[in-house]
Each structure stands twice: as C-alpha cells, then as structure tokens.
Amino acid sequence: MGMRNIFRKTAIAAGTTGAIALGLSIGQPLQTANNQPVGLIPAAAAQSSNDLDSAVKALRAISTMKADFVQTDQRGQTTRGVMTLKRPGKIRFDYGKDADLLVVSNGKSLYMVDYEVRQVERWPIKRSPLGALLDPNRDMSKYGNLVPTTDSRVISIEVRDPKRPEFGVINLIFVRNPSAPGGLQLAQWVALDAQNYRTRVSLSNHRYGLAVAESTFKFDDPRRSSRRPR
C-alpha cells in the first residue's frame, strides 16, 4: 500500500465526508509515550473533573511545538515524520523530503497536498477532526468527556459531536509531565473514522517554544508546479 493510501486511512486527513475520527473505544489498550501499556477502566469509575480543564489549558499553553510521530494503520503499516504546531491553528505533518505527501494547516484551512497526482484537498479547520488539537477551547470544552484509566499519570479525553457523527470520535491521550506546558504532554491519539478505519499516531521527542517561521505552513501548489515542498 502506498503512502497516499495509508494516509487516507489515518487520523490526520479527512476522507469523502470531510472529517474523520481520532477514536479509542473503552476497553482497548493504549500506550504511554514510553510504550508502556495503560488499561482503561469502566466509565463509572471516579476521576478528577479538573482533568478535562487541565488538558484544555495544557493545549492552550503551547505556543509552538515540534514532535516526531509514528503513524500506524489498522493493518500495522507505519509511516514516520515530524509534526510542527503553532498557535493559532497552524500545523504541519512532514513525511520527509522524499515523500510525495504533505498535510498542512495555515490557521484557516487544512490541506492534504499530493505531489504524486498533483492534487490538493482542503477542509475548513472547524470541520477537521484536528480541531480538538488546533482549537481546544471550542471542541474539547464543549464536547469533551474523560475516559477513566488505570494509570493516574494518564488522562484520556474523548471528544465527539453527537449531532455530527460523521466527524467521528476524538480521543487525545495525555501523560503528566512537569516539563510540558500545563504539566501535560500529548502522547498519542488513536483513530476510528466514519468508514471504520483505525489508526494510531504516537508522538515523541517533544520540543516546545521553538522559533517557527510562517513559511513552514505554506506549500508549493502541485496544480501549478511539480515542485515538492522544501
């Protein structure tokens, strides 16, 4: 399976519905940033109601961030790259200089750029599943719920809009880390989209507060040029 097909079945870009899920069902295993398994416990278990607010504040506290990512689809195939985030609403998933694929948001729209077939797909940020990451004030505070875990170091936040099931279910997994903004570090998300495709995106080597040029979130349009992003 080529990278483009892998990408279309993952948590980063939308499919034909214009939105995907970053979902994790109760009872499934997940891992911390150190690859240690963390079990989930029944939703009736008690957990601090402040954890949701803490997760939202932690995301808001990030001005810029870079992290390495490993993206794994439901067949176990993986791709790797670097994620760059900058407030407000800008993000870039770079799969490497030899890749024909780029995902980037300029703060208003999220683009999937395919240099192999010279296509660009676009979604407004508000309709992207990454809205929970790019706009935590809107999505997580309104639609977020805690999914209790057996590890007090881990916070799992489920985000869904019951009125828009095609947007899927978003679960963001945080690990307590005093060196991260707000004391919480985004470790991973696990995805289930509207077509029942599942994936996991795991982050590592987080770097905060870096100088990130605005040009990071621009791209050469393959519809006008055959050049790949620099």
Side-chain angles (χ1 to χ4, degrees), residues 98-136:
D98 296 326
D100 289 317
L101 194 65
L102 174 69
V103 180
V104 63
S105 165
N106 61 9
K108 297 180 180 179
S109 298
L110 180 71
Y111 297 88
M112 186 181 77
V113 186
D114 190 324
Y115 287 90
E116 182 180 2
V117 297
R118 298 190 181 187
Q119 290 182 356
V120 176
E121 297 183 51
R122 171 186 172 275
W123 301 271
I125 289 295
K126 64 182 179 179
R127 295 192 62 193
S128 165
L130 288 177
L133 179 59
L134 300 175
D135 188 1

Side-chain angles (χ1 to χ4, degrees), residues 22 28 45 51 54 101 176 198 214:
L22 310 179
Q28 289 187 301
D51 283 343
S54 296
L101 194 65
R176 299 186 193 278
R198 186 175 299 278
E214 291 297 311

Side-chain angles (χ1 to χ4, degrees), residues 5 12 24 48 58 62 114 133 138 150 166 179 220-221:
N5 289 332
I12 295 177
L24 180 67
S48 172
I62 298 173
D114 190 324
L133 179 59
R138 184 196 70 228
T150 58
E166 70 273 19
S179 65
D220 294 320
D221 194 326

Side-chain angles (χ1 to χ4, degrees), residues 39-74:
L40 297 179
I41 58 180
Q47 189 171 9
S48 172
S49 61
N50 293 328
D51 283 343
L52 177 58
D53 290 338
S54 296
V56 172
K57 290 177 181 178
L59 287 179
R60 289 183 194 169
I62 298 173
S63 57
T64 62
M65 182 183 81
K66 282 192 175 184
D68 301 333
F69 70 84
V70 177
Q71 182 178 315
T72 307
D73 71 6
Q74 63 184 9

Side-chain angles (χ1 to χ4, degrees), residues 98-192:
D98 296 326
D100 289 317
L101 194 65
L102 174 69
V103 180
V104 63
S105 165
N106 61 9
K108 297 180 180 179
S109 298
L110 180 71
Y111 297 88
M112 186 181 77
V113 186
D114 190 324
Y115 287 90
E116 182 180 2
V117 297
R118 298 190 181 187
Q119 290 182 356
V120 176
E121 297 183 51
R122 171 186 172 275
W123 301 271
I125 289 295
K126 64 182 179 179
R127 295 192 62 193
S128 165
L130 288 177
L133 179 59
L134 300 175
D135 188 1
N137 184 49
R138 184 196 70 228
D139 292 318
M140 289 186 65
S141 62
K142 186 174 182 180
Y143 303 117
N145 293 289
L146 291 171
V147 177
T149 74
T150 58
D151 191 327
S152 62
R153 300 169 300 166
V154 177
I155 296 176
S156 174
I157 308 294
E158 178 188 89
V159 184
R160 69 169 71 217
D161 183 348
K163 296 181 179 180
R164 303 299 299 269
E166 70 273 19
F167 284 12
V169 180
I170 302 170
N171 265 77
L172 302 176
I173 311 301
F174 298 84
V175 176
R176 299 186 193 278
N177 185 334
S179 65
L184 292 175
Q185 187 157 276
L186 180 63
Q188 69 174 234
W189 58 82
V190 182
L192 180 67

